[in-house]
Coordinates of all heavy atoms in Angstrom, one line a residue:
M1 N 0.9 -1.2 0.0 CA 0.0 0.0 0.0 C 0.9 1.2 0.0 O 1.8 1.4 0.8 CB -0.9 0.0 1.2 CG -2.0 1.0 1.2 SD -3.0 0.9 2.7 CE -3.9 -0.6 2.4
V2 N 0.7 2.1 -0.9 CA 1.5 3.4 -1.0 C 1.1 4.3 0.1 O 0.0 4.5 0.4 CB 1.3 4.0 -2.4 CG1 2.0 5.3 -2.5 CG2 1.7 3.1 -3.5
G3 N 2.2 4.9 0.7 CA 1.9 5.9 1.7 C 1.7 5.3 3.1 O 1.4 5.9 4.1
E4 N 2.0 4.0 3.2 CA 1.8 3.3 4.5 C 2.8 2.2 4.7 O 3.1 1.5 3.7 CB 0.4 2.7 4.6 CG 0.1 2.1 6.0 CD -1.3 1.5 6.0 OE1 -2.2 1.9 5.3 OE2 -1.5 0.6 6.9
I5 N 3.4 2.1 5.8 CA 4.3 1.0 6.2 C 3.8 0.4 7.4 O 3.5 1.1 8.4 CB 5.8 1.5 6.4 CG1 6.3 2.2 5.2 CG2 6.7 0.4 6.9 CD1 7.6 2.9 5.4
A6 N 3.5 -0.9 7.4 CA 2.9 -1.6 8.5 C 3.5 -3.0 8.7 O 3.9 -3.6 7.8 CB 1.4 -1.7 8.3
S7 N 3.5 -3.4 10.0 CA 3.9 -4.8 10.3 C 2.6 -5.4 10.9 O 1.7 -4.7 11.3 CB 5.0 -4.8 11.3 OG 4.7 -4.2 12.5
D8 N 2.7 -6.7 11.0 CA 1.5 -7.4 11.5 C 1.9 -8.2 12.8 O 2.4 -9.3 12.7 CB 1.0 -8.4 10.5 CG -0.3 -9.0 10.8 OD1 -0.8 -8.8 11.9 OD2 -0.9 -9.7 10.0
S9 N 1.7 -7.6 14.0 CA 2.1 -8.2 15.2 C 1.1 -9.3 15.6 O 1.4 -10.2 16.4 CB 2.1 -7.2 16.4 OG 0.8 -6.6 16.6
S10 N 0.0 -9.4 14.9 CA -0.9 -10.6 15.2 C -0.3 -11.9 14.8 O -0.7 -12.9 15.4 CB -2.2 -10.4 14.4 OG -2.1 -10.5 13.0
L11 N 0.7 -11.9 13.9 CA 1.4 -13.1 13.5 C 2.1 -13.7 14.7 O 2.1 -14.9 15.0 CB 2.3 -12.9 12.4 CG 1.7 -12.6 11.0 CD1 2.7 -12.3 10.0 CD2 0.7 -13.7 10.6
N12 N 2.7 -12.8 15.5 CA 3.4 -13.2 16.8 C 2.4 -13.8 17.8 O 2.7 -14.8 18.4 CB 4.2 -12.1 17.4 CG 5.3 -11.7 16.5 OD1 5.1 -11.0 15.5 ND2 6.5 -12.1 16.9
D13 N 1.2 -13.2 17.9 CA 0.2 -13.6 18.8 C -0.3 -15.0 18.3 O -0.5 -15.9 19.2 CB -0.9 -12.7 18.9 CG -0.5 -11.4 19.6 OD1 0.4 -11.4 20.4 OD2 -1.2 -10.3 19.3
E14 N -0.4 -15.2 17.0 CA -0.9 -16.5 16.5 C 0.2 -17.6 16.8 O -0.2 -18.7 17.2 CB -1.1 -16.4 15.0 CG -2.3 -15.6 14.6 CD -2.5 -15.5 13.1 OE1 -1.8 -16.2 12.3 OE2 -3.2 -14.6 12.7
A15 N 1.5 -17.2 16.6 CA 2.5 -18.2 16.9 C 2.5 -18.5 18.4 O 2.7 -19.7 18.8 CB 3.9 -17.6 16.5
A16 N 2.3 -17.5 19.3 CA 2.3 -17.8 20.7 C 1.1 -18.7 21.1 O 1.2 -19.6 21.9 CB 2.2 -16.4 21.4
S17 N 0.0 -18.4 20.5 CA -1.2 -19.2 20.7 C -1.0 -20.7 20.3 O -1.4 -21.6 21.0 CB -2.5 -18.7 20.0 OG -2.8 -17.4 20.6
A18 N -0.4 -20.9 19.1 CA -0.1 -22.2 18.7 C 0.9 -22.9 19.6 O 0.7 -24.1 19.9 CB 0.5 -22.1 17.3
L19 N 1.9 -22.2 20.1 CA 2.8 -22.8 21.0 C 2.2 -23.2 22.3 O 2.3 -24.4 22.7 CB 3.9 -21.7 21.4 CG 5.1 -22.1 22.2 CD1 5.9 -23.2 21.5 CD2 5.9 -20.9 22.5
V20 N 1.3 -22.4 22.9 CA 0.6 -22.7 24.1 C -0.4 -23.8 23.8 O -0.6 -24.8 24.6 CB 0.0 -21.5 24.8 CG1 -0.9 -21.9 25.9 CG2 1.1 -20.5 25.3
G21 N -1.1 -23.7 22.7 CA -2.1 -24.8 22.4 C -1.5 -26.1 22.3 O -2.1 -27.1 22.8
G22 N -0.4 -26.2 21.6 CA 0.3 -27.5 21.5 C 0.8 -28.1 22.8 O 0.6 -29.3 23.1
E23 N 1.2 -27.2 23.7 CA 1.7 -27.6 25.0 C 0.5 -28.0 25.8 O 0.6 -29.1 26.5 CB 2.4 -26.4 25.7 CG 2.8 -26.7 27.1 CD 1.7 -26.3 28.1 OE1 1.0 -25.3 27.8 OE2 1.6 -27.0 29.1
E24 N -0.6 -27.3 25.8 CA -1.8 -27.7 26.5 C -2.3 -29.0 26.1 O -2.8 -29.8 26.9 CB -2.9 -26.6 26.4 CG -2.6 -25.3 27.2 CD -3.5 -24.2 26.9 OE1 -4.4 -24.3 26.0 OE2 -3.5 -23.2 27.6
E25 N -2.3 -29.3 24.8 CA -2.8 -30.6 24.3 C -1.9 -31.7 24.8 O -2.4 -32.7 25.3 CB -2.8 -30.6 22.8 CG -3.3 -31.8 22.1 CD -3.4 -31.8 20.6 OE1 -3.4 -30.7 20.1 OE2 -3.3 -32.8 20.0
Y26 N -0.6 -31.5 24.7 CA 0.3 -32.5 25.2 C 0.2 -32.7 26.7 O 0.2 -33.8 27.2 CB 1.8 -32.1 24.8 CG 2.8 -33.2 25.1 CD1 2.9 -34.3 24.3 CD2 3.6 -33.1 26.2 CE1 3.8 -35.3 24.6 CE2 4.6 -34.1 26.5 CZ 4.7 -35.2 25.7 OH 5.6 -36.1 25.9
A27 N 0.1 -31.6 27.4 CA 0.0 -31.7 28.9 C -1.3 -32.2 29.4 O -1.4 -32.6 30.6 CB 0.3 -30.3 29.5
S28 N -2.3 -32.3 28.5 CA -3.6 -32.8 29.0 C -3.5 -34.3 29.2 O -4.4 -34.8 29.9 CB -4.7 -32.5 27.9 OG -4.5 -33.3 26.8
L29 N -2.5 -34.9 28.8 CA -2.3 -36.4 29.1 C -2.1 -36.4 30.7 O -1.4 -35.6 31.2 CB -1.0 -36.9 28.5 CG -1.0 -37.0 27.0 CD1 0.4 -37.4 26.5 CD2 -2.0 -38.0 26.5
S30 N -2.7 -37.3 31.3 CA -2.6 -37.5 32.7 C -1.5 -38.5 33.0 O -1.8 -39.7 32.9 CB -3.9 -37.9 33.4 OG -3.7 -38.2 34.7
F31 N -0.3 -38.1 33.3 CA 0.8 -39.0 33.6 C 0.5 -39.8 34.8 O 0.9 -40.9 34.9 CB 2.1 -38.2 33.7 CG 2.6 -37.8 32.3 CD1 2.4 -36.5 31.9 CD2 3.2 -38.7 31.5 CE1 2.9 -36.2 30.6 CE2 3.7 -38.4 30.2 CZ 3.5 -37.1 29.8
E32 N -0.2 -39.2 35.8 CA -0.6 -39.9 37.0 C -1.5 -41.1 36.6 O -1.2 -42.3 37.1 CB -1.3 -39.1 38.0 CG -0.4 -38.0 38.7 CD -0.4 -36.7 37.9 OE1 -1.0 -36.6 36.8 OE2 0.1 -35.7 38.5
S33 N -2.5 -40.9 35.7 CA -3.3 -42.1 35.4 C -2.6 -43.1 34.5 O -2.8 -44.3 34.6 CB -4.6 -41.6 34.7 OG -4.3 -40.9 33.5
L34 N -1.7 -42.6 33.6 CA -0.9 -43.5 32.8 C 0.0 -44.4 33.7 O 0.1 -45.6 33.5 CB -0.1 -42.8 31.8 CG -0.8 -42.1 30.6 CD1 0.1 -41.3 29.8 CD2 -1.5 -43.2 29.8
A35 N 0.6 -43.7 34.7 CA 1.5 -44.4 35.6 C 0.8 -45.4 36.5 O 1.3 -46.4 36.8 CB 2.3 -43.4 36.4
A36 N -0.5 -45.1 36.8 CA -1.2 -45.9 37.7 C -1.5 -47.3 37.1 O -1.5 -48.3 37.7 CB -2.5 -45.3 38.1
G37 N -1.6 -47.3 35.7 CA -1.8 -48.5 35.0 C -0.6 -49.2 34.6 O -0.6 -50.3 34.0
A38 N 0.6 -48.6 34.8 CA 1.9 -49.1 34.3 C 2.3 -50.3 35.2 O 2.1 -50.2 36.4 CB 2.9 -48.0 34.2
P39 N 3.0 -51.2 34.7 CA 3.6 -52.3 35.5 C 4.6 -51.7 36.5 O 5.3 -50.8 36.2 CB 4.2 -53.3 34.5 CG 4.3 -52.6 33.3 CD 3.4 -51.4 33.3
G40 N 4.8 -52.4 37.6 CA 5.8 -51.9 38.6 C 5.1 -51.2 39.7 O 4.0 -50.6 39.6
S41 N 5.7 -51.2 40.8 CA 5.2 -50.5 41.9 C 6.3 -50.2 42.9 O 7.5 -50.7 42.7 CB 4.1 -51.3 42.6 OG 4.7 -52.5 43.1
G42 N 6.0 -49.5 43.9 CA 7.0 -49.2 44.9 C 7.6 -47.8 44.8 O 7.2 -47.0 43.9
P43 N 8.6 -47.5 45.7 CA 9.2 -46.2 45.7 C 9.8 -45.7 44.4 O 9.7 -44.6 44.0 CB 10.2 -46.3 46.9 CG 9.8 -47.5 47.7 CD 9.1 -48.4 46.7
A44 N 10.5 -46.6 43.8 CA 11.2 -46.3 42.5 C 10.2 -45.8 41.5 O 10.4 -44.8 40.8 CB 12.1 -47.4 42.0
H45 N 9.1 -46.6 41.3 CA 8.1 -46.3 40.4 C 7.5 -44.9 40.7 O 7.3 -44.1 39.8 CB 7.0 -47.4 40.4 CG 5.8 -47.2 39.5 ND1 4.7 -46.5 39.9 CD2 5.7 -47.5 38.2 CE1 3.9 -46.5 38.9 NE2 4.4 -47.0 37.9
D46 N 7.1 -44.7 42.0 CA 6.5 -43.5 42.4 C 7.4 -42.3 42.2 O 7.0 -41.2 41.8 CB 6.1 -43.5 43.9 CG 5.0 -44.6 44.1 OD1 4.4 -45.0 43.1 OD2 4.8 -45.0 45.2
E47 N 8.7 -42.5 42.4 CA 9.7 -41.4 42.2 C 9.8 -41.0 40.7 O 9.9 -39.8 40.4 CB 11.1 -41.8 42.7 CG 12.1 -40.7 42.7 CD 13.4 -41.2 43.3 OE1 13.4 -42.0 44.2 OE2 14.5 -40.7 42.8
V48 N 9.8 -42.0 39.8 CA 9.8 -41.7 38.4 C 8.6 -40.9 38.0 O 8.7 -39.9 37.3 CB 10.0 -43.0 37.6 CG1 9.7 -42.7 36.1 CG2 11.3 -43.6 37.8
V49 N 7.4 -41.3 38.5 CA 6.2 -40.6 38.1 C 6.2 -39.2 38.6 O 5.9 -38.3 37.9 CB 5.0 -41.4 38.7 CG1 3.7 -40.5 38.6 CG2 4.8 -42.7 38.1
A50 N 6.7 -39.0 39.9 CA 6.8 -37.7 40.4 C 7.8 -36.8 39.6 O 7.5 -35.6 39.4 CB 7.2 -37.7 41.9
D51 N 8.9 -37.4 39.2 CA 9.9 -36.6 38.4 C 9.3 -36.2 37.1 O 9.5 -35.1 36.6 CB 11.1 -37.4 38.2 CG 12.0 -37.6 39.5 OD1 11.7 -36.8 40.5 OD2 12.9 -38.4 39.5
V52 N 8.6 -37.1 36.4 CA 8.0 -36.8 35.1 C 7.0 -35.7 35.3 O 6.9 -34.8 34.5 CB 7.4 -38.1 34.5 CG1 6.5 -37.7 33.3 CG2 8.5 -39.1 34.1
C53 N 6.1 -35.8 36.3 CA 5.1 -34.8 36.5 C 5.7 -33.4 36.8 O 5.3 -32.4 36.3 CB 4.2 -35.2 37.6 SG 3.1 -36.6 37.1
A54 N 6.8 -33.4 37.6 CA 7.5 -32.2 37.9 C 8.1 -31.6 36.7 O 8.1 -30.4 36.4 CB 8.5 -32.4 39.0
G55 N 8.7 -32.5 35.8 CA 9.3 -32.0 34.6 C 8.3 -31.4 33.7 O 8.5 -30.4 33.0
M56 N 7.1 -32.0 33.6 CA 6.0 -31.5 32.7 C 5.6 -30.1 33.2 O 5.3 -29.2 32.4 CB 4.9 -32.5 32.7 CG 5.1 -33.7 31.8 SD 5.4 -33.3 30.1 CE 3.8 -32.5 29.6
S57 N 5.5 -30.0 34.5 CA 5.0 -28.7 35.1 C 6.0 -27.6 34.8 O 5.7 -26.5 34.4 CB 4.9 -28.9 36.6 OG 4.5 -27.7 37.2
S58 N 7.3 -27.9 34.9 CA 8.4 -26.9 34.6 C 8.3 -26.6 33.1 O 8.5 -25.4 32.7 CB 9.8 -27.5 34.9 OG 9.9 -27.7 36.3
W59 N 8.1 -27.6 32.2 CA 8.1 -27.4 30.8 C 6.9 -26.5 30.4 O 7.0 -25.6 29.6 CB 8.0 -28.7 30.1 CG 8.0 -28.6 28.6 CD1 8.9 -28.1 27.7 CD2 6.9 -29.0 27.8 NE1 8.5 -28.2 26.4 CE2 7.2 -28.7 26.4 CE3 5.6 -29.5 28.0 CZ2 6.4 -29.0 25.4 CZ3 4.8 -29.8 27.0 CH2 5.1 -29.5 25.7
E60 N 5.8 -26.8 31.1 CA 4.6 -26.0 30.8 C 4.8 -24.5 31.2 O 4.5 -23.6 30.4 CB 3.4 -26.5 31.7 CG 2.1 -25.8 31.5 CD 1.0 -26.3 32.3 OE1 1.2 -27.2 33.2 OE2 -0.2 -26.0 32.1
G61 N 5.5 -24.2 32.3 CA 5.8 -22.9 32.7 C 6.7 -22.2 31.7 O 6.6 -21.0 31.3
A62 N 7.7 -22.9 31.2 CA 8.7 -22.4 30.2 C 8.0 -22.0 28.9 O 8.2 -21.0 28.3 CB 9.8 -23.4 30.0
V63 N 7.1 -22.9 28.5 CA 6.4 -22.6 27.2 C 5.5 -21.4 27.3 O 5.4 -20.6 26.5 CB 5.5 -23.9 26.8 CG1 4.6 -23.5 25.6 CG2 6.5 -25.0 26.4
E64 N 4.8 -21.3 28.5 CA 3.9 -20.1 28.7 C 4.8 -18.8 28.7 O 4.4 -17.8 28.2 CB 3.1 -20.3 30.0 CG 2.0 -21.4 29.8 CD 1.3 -21.7 31.0 OE1 1.5 -21.1 32.1 OE2 0.4 -22.5 31.0
R65 N 5.9 -18.9 29.4 CA 6.8 -17.7 29.4 C 7.3 -17.3 28.0 O 7.3 -16.2 27.6 CB 8.0 -17.9 30.4 CG 7.7 -17.8 31.8 CD 8.9 -17.8 32.7 NE 9.8 -19.0 32.5 CZ 9.6 -20.1 33.1 NH1 8.6 -20.3 34.0 NH2 10.4 -21.1 32.9
D66 N 7.7 -18.4 27.2 CA 8.1 -18.1 25.9 C 7.0 -17.5 25.0 O 7.3 -16.6 24.2 CB 8.6 -19.4 25.2 CG 10.0 -19.9 25.8 OD1 10.6 -19.1 26.6 OD2 10.4 -21.0 25.5
A67 N 5.8 -18.0 25.2 CA 4.7 -17.5 24.4 C 4.4 -16.0 24.7 O 4.2 -15.2 23.9 CB 3.4 -18.3 24.7
K68 N 4.5 -15.7 26.0 CA 4.3 -14.3 26.4 C 5.4 -13.4 25.9 O 5.1 -12.3 25.4 CB 4.2 -14.2 27.9 CG 2.9 -14.7 28.5 CD 3.0 -14.6 30.1 CE 1.7 -15.2 30.7 NZ 1.7 -15.2 32.1
A69 N 6.6 -13.9 25.9 CA 7.7 -13.1 25.3 C 7.6 -12.9 23.8 O 7.8 -11.9 23.3 CB 9.1 -13.9 25.6
L70 N 7.1 -14.0 23.1 CA 6.9 -13.9 21.7 C 5.9 -12.8 21.4 O 6.1 -12.0 20.5 CB 6.5 -15.2 21.2 CG 6.4 -15.4 19.7 CD1 7.7 -15.1 19.0 CD2 5.9 -16.8 19.3
S71 N 4.8 -12.7 22.1 CA 3.8 -11.7 21.9 C 4.3 -10.3 22.2 O 4.1 -9.4 21.5 CB 2.6 -12.0 22.8 OG 1.9 -13.1 22.3
A72 N 5.1 -10.2 23.3 CA 5.7 -8.9 23.7 C 6.7 -8.4 22.6 O 6.7 -7.3 22.3 CB 6.4 -9.0 25.1
I73 N 7.5 -9.4 22.1 CA 8.4 -9.0 21.0 C 7.6 -8.5 19.8 O 8.0 -7.5 19.2 CB 9.3 -10.2 20.6 CG1 10.3 -10.5 21.8 CG2 10.0 -10.0 19.3 CD1 11.0 -11.8 21.6
G74 N 6.6 -9.2 19.4 CA 5.8 -8.7 18.3 C 5.2 -7.3 18.5 O 5.3 -6.5 17.6
R75 N 4.7 -7.0 19.7 CA 4.2 -5.7 20.0 C 5.3 -4.6 20.0 O 5.1 -3.5 19.4 CB 3.5 -5.7 21.4 CG 2.1 -6.4 21.3 CD 1.3 -6.1 22.6 NE 2.0 -6.7 23.8 CZ 1.9 -7.9 24.2 NH1 1.3 -8.8 23.5 NH2 2.6 -8.3 25.3
A76 N 6.5 -5.0 20.5 CA 7.6 -4.0 20.5 C 8.0 -3.7 19.1 O 8.3 -2.5 18.7 CB 8.7 -4.6 21.3
F77 N 8.2 -4.8 18.3 CA 8.6 -4.5 16.9 C 7.5 -3.7 16.1 O 7.8 -2.8 15.3 CB 8.8 -5.9 16.1 CG 10.1 -6.5 16.4 CD1 10.2 -7.9 16.4 CD2 11.2 -5.7 16.7 CE1 11.4 -8.5 16.6 CE2 12.5 -6.3 16.9 CZ 12.6 -7.7 16.9
D78 N 6.2 -4.0 16.4 CA 5.2 -3.2 15.8 C 5.2 -1.8 16.1 O 5.1 -0.9 15.3 CB 3.8 -3.8 16.2 CG 2.7 -3.2 15.4 OD1 2.8 -3.0 14.2 OD2 1.6 -3.0 16.0
Q79 N 5.4 -1.5 17.4 CA 5.6 -0.1 17.9 C 6.7 0.6 17.2 O 6.6 1.8 16.7 CB 5.7 0.0 19.4 CG 4.4 -0.4 20.1 CD 4.6 -0.6 21.6 OE1 5.7 -0.5 22.1 NE2 3.5 -0.8 22.3
E80 N 7.9 -0.1 17.1 CA 9.1 0.5 16.5 C 8.9 0.7 15.0 O 9.2 1.7 14.5 CB 10.3 -0.4 16.8 CG 11.6 0.3 16.4 CD 11.9 1.5 17.1 OE1 11.5 1.7 18.2 OE2 12.7 2.4 16.5
D81 N 8.2 -0.3 14.4 CA 7.9 -0.2 13.0 C 7.1 1.1 12.7 O 7.3 1.8 11.7 CB 7.2 -1.4 12.4 CG 8.2 -2.6 12.2 OD1 9.4 -2.4 12.3 OD2 7.6 -3.7 12.0
Q82 N 6.1 1.3 13.5 CA 5.2 2.4 13.3 C 5.9 3.7 13.5 O 5.7 4.7 12.7 CB 4.0 2.4 14.3 CG 3.0 1.3 14.0 CD 1.9 1.2 15.0 OE1 1.6 2.1 15.7 NE2 1.3 0.0 15.1
A83 N 6.8 3.8 14.5 CA 7.6 5.0 14.7 C 8.5 5.3 13.5 O 8.6 6.4 13.1 CB 8.4 4.9 16.0
L84 N 9.2 4.2 13.1 CA 10.1 4.4 11.9 C 9.3 4.8 10.6 O 9.7 5.6 9.8 CB 10.9 3.1 11.7 CG 11.9 2.8 12.8 CD1 12.5 1.4 12.5 CD2 13.0 3.9 12.8
A85 N 8.1 4.2 10.5 CA 7.3 4.5 9.3 C 6.9 5.9 9.3 O 6.9 6.6 8.2 CB 6.1 3.5 9.2
Q86 N 6.5 6.4 10.5 CA 6.1 7.8 10.5 C 7.3 8.7 10.2 O 7.1 9.7 9.5 CB 5.5 8.1 11.9 CG 4.2 7.5 12.1 CD 3.6 7.8 13.5 OE1 4.3 8.3 14.4 NE2 2.4 7.3 13.8
A87 N 8.5 8.4 10.7 CA 9.6 9.2 10.4 C 10.0 9.2 8.9 O 10.3 10.2 8.4 CB 10.8 8.7 11.3
I88 N 9.9 8.0 8.3 CA 10.2 7.9 6.9 C 9.2 8.6 6.0 O 9.5 9.3 5.1 CB 10.3 6.4 6.5 CG1 11.5 5.7 7.1 CG2 10.3 6.2 5.0 CD1 11.5 4.2 7.0
L89 N 7.9 8.5 6.4 CA 6.9 9.1 5.6 C 6.6 10.6 6.0 O 5.7 11.2 5.4 CB 5.6 8.3 5.8 CG 5.7 6.8 5.3 CD1 4.4 6.1 5.6 CD2 5.9 6.8 3.8
G90 N 7.4 11.1 7.0 CA 7.3 12.5 7.3 C 6.1 12.8 8.2 O 5.7 13.9 8.3
G91 N 5.7 11.8 9.0 CA 4.5 12.0 9.8 C 4.7 12.4 11.2 O 5.7 12.6 11.8

């Protein structure tokens, strides 16, 4: 479009949503229920289940932080793009 320079920060939001959506789908598996039906028992079995669940929780938090950062980066680039476009176009 002549006379306008624009970026699309919604693409970053879409990527962030896809990242979180994939994580939520994967995390929706109940490792506790899967482990309950798995062969083996005792402290070693329970420790492995607890470690897997703790790891999934940490991974979930990391994905959510990354998604928020991705959206924030998109907004920051969009704001900078707008300021530069106004300067270039004499606005």
